Amino acid sequence: MSSSINRNFGLDIVRSIAIILVLICHAGTADYVFYNFGFYGVELFFVLSGFLIGQIIIKEFSKDKSYKSLLKFWIKRW
């Protein structure tokens, strides 16, 4: 079974925009505007990571409803 069933197309679009922004920054130009593109691309990656990790944490916590499940989650991620 393919993992593409569980993928969110909107998140893939945002991820690709972040990649493009970082690539524009690293294109070899030292222009300040392009530097900001890279900054926003990295910030977008951080927002996406927090969103995806947050979804996993909420799903794990809602299953067991105990802090032991959260501890197990963080140990697995460490």
Side-chain angles (χ1 to χ4, degrees):
M1 190 158 265
S2 175
S3 67
S4 65
I5 295 171
N6 296 330
R7 294 189 69 93
N8 186 333
F9 184 68
L11 292 179
D12 288 340
I13 294 293
V14 173
R15 188 179 296 119
S16 64
I17 290 170
I19 291 169
I20 290 169
L21 290 173
V22 171
L23 288 176
I24 289 172
C25 177
H26 288 287
T29 61
D31 194 6
Y32 183 72
V33 173
F34 293 126
Y35 177 78
N36 283 339
F37 282 177
F39 174 78
Y40 293 129
V42 171
E43 291 291 316
L44 208 49
F45 275 121
F46 281 129
V47 169
L48 282 173
S49 296
F51 176 74
L52 294 172
I53 290 289
Q55 280 185 332
I56 295 170
I57 289 173
I58 290 170
K59 189 185 334 176
E60 289 289 323
F61 190 68
S62 65
K63 275 195 259 183
D64 291 344
K65 300 226 190 302
S66 70
Y67 290 104
K68 192 173 188 178
S69 65
L70 287 178
L71 180 64
K72 189 170 86 172
F73 168 82
W74 286 113
I75 289 172
K76 284 194 311 188
R77 295 306 182 274
W78 186 262

